[in-house]
Amino acid sequence: MVDLGVIFRPQLPLERLRAMARAADEAGLAELWLWEDCFFDGGIATAAAALAWTGRLRVGVGVLPLPLRAVTLTAMEAASLHRLFPDRFILGGGHGVQEWMGQAGVRVDSPLTLLREYLTALRALLRGETVSTTGRYVRLTDVALERPPATPLPVLTAATGPRTLRLAGEVADGTVLTAATRPDTVRRARALIGEAGRTDPHRVVVYLHAAAGPDATARMRAELDRWREPMLPEYAREVTASTVAEAVANLAEAGADSVVLQPTADETDPAGFARWAAEEVRPLVS
């Protein structure tokens, strides 16, 4: 069965993260995802807090803008969280929104080259290997973690276009797809990822727009207008637990391993949203 999760959006007050994480954990959701959008809250710090506040919930960062961090530091931080909270931290990294990377002074000429070099080195470090490389953007000399993960830590990446999806199939262990993704897009993504010819599992995580409450349909229309996206077919009449569950099932059938519900930016009760996802949506997902 598909794993169901929720997103704590960076627009929400950070002080509400604890309540949402605990609600998701207690209600039995599989995952909580955080965004490291510039220039909000740090993904590693918030993931560590959410992991410490919960007991079984997996916590993912989708995704870290990799140009902001040296690959060695990312490997050290990820390995620490994986050892402290075994098999509960989900590491995601991407080349970042180029406008933001420019503001931060770390924009590169070839984001895909950076992503290839970075993810290749990162995964090797997390496997406990000693890494030396002289790439265009990643340069390491005999670097090895003193405390590498005791068990495998998969590395996911964000991807939308064909080139990035093919690269994800080559150098990542999973892919994160945005809430603009439709079932046919998941199928195309799976096909492009599969062109790498790898036989090991490749986890596909898909975000899904969702809203709860009596005004859910109106709020969803406003949210999609902000994203300049059309209304989801499942939501054509109204947004309810049933129609959200239908959308989850359709994405799962198309190849999503995990569907993560993305609340609207004006959500006032993130903890209640997590409980609604677990108690009202999840039982309806076939």
Side-chain angles (χ1 to χ4, degrees):
M1 184 175 178
V2 64
D3 287 332
L4 189 66
V6 290
I7 295 171
F8 183 86
R9 291 182 58 164
Q11 294 85 359
L12 298 170
L14 186 59
E15 293 75 14
R16 294 187 177 180
L17 173 59
R18 182 174 184 172
M20 188 180 195
R22 287 190 166 179
D25 193 44
E26 292 166 3
L29 285 176
E31 298 172 359
L32 171 71
W33 281 77
L34 308 167
W35 294 354
E36 190 176 71
D37 278 2
C38 295
F39 298 94
F40 287 95
D41 311 301
I44 294 296
T46 50
L51 287 163
W53 289 327
T54 55
R56 43 152 299 280
L57 187 71
R58 294 194 299 270
V59 177
V61 181
V63 295
L64 298 172
L66 298 179
L68 291 176
R69 290 179 177 80
V71 65
T72 306
L73 177 60
T74 301
M76 291 164 57
E77 291 182 324
S80 296
L81 287 179
H82 189 63
R83 290 177 70 93
L84 290 168
F85 306 99
D87 302 318
R88 292 181 54 211
F89 175 57
I90 306 172
L91 174 60
H95 54 56
V97 176
Q98 295 309 291
E99 180 181 355
W100 292 340
M101 298 303 97
Q103 287 179 267
V106 293
R107 184 168 182 165
V108 299
D109 292 332
S110 178
L112 287 186
T113 300
L114 179 140
L115 193 60
R116 177 184 294 277
E117 293 179 359
Y118 199 114
L119 293 180
T120 300
L122 178 60
R123 292 174 68 228
L125 289 169
L126 292 173
R127 289 193 298 266
E129 299 175 15
T130 299
V131 181
S132 294
T133 182
T134 54
R136 183 174 176 182
Y137 301 111
V138 176
R139 300 179 180 88
L140 302 175
T141 303
D142 296 330
V143 175
L145 296 181
E146 293 291 339
R147 294 191 178 95
T151 57
L153 171 55
V155 178
L156 282 64
T157 191
T160 52
R163 292 175 62 198
T164 315
L165 286 164
R166 291 189 180 97
L167 181 60
E170 293 180 44
V171 300
D173 303 300
T175 301
V176 180
L177 304 177
T178 72
T181 303
R182 303 292 187 266
D184 59 337
T185 314
V186 176
R187 295 185 183 95
R188 285 197 296 270
R190 277 285 187 193
L192 290 165
I193 291 165
E195 289 182 9
R198 288 169 53 183
T199 57
D200 53 326
H202 189 100
R203 188 170 186 80
V204 172
V205 177
V206 184
Y207 296 158
L208 173 65
H209 290 294
D215 58 347
T217 303
R219 288 169 47 228
M220 180 58 65
R221 293 188 189 280
E223 176 80 5
L224 292 175
D225 284 345
R226 283 192 291 271
W227 288 90
R228 297 181 181 179
E229 295 176 16
M231 200 68 166
L232 293 174
E234 295 90 345
Y235 301 167
R237 285 188 171 182
E238 59 181 341
V239 181
T240 65
S242 177
T243 57
V244 171
E246 180 184 357
V248 171
N250 289 339
L251 291 170
E253 184 181 11
D257 297 297
S258 175
V259 177
V260 188
L261 303 187
Q262 178 176 313
T264 57
D266 60 357
E267 176 59 60
T268 59
D269 184 9
F273 180 82
R275 287 189 291 269
W276 170 82
E279 296 168 4
E280 299 191 37
V281 176
R282 186 178 55 179
L284 300 176
V285 178
S286 59

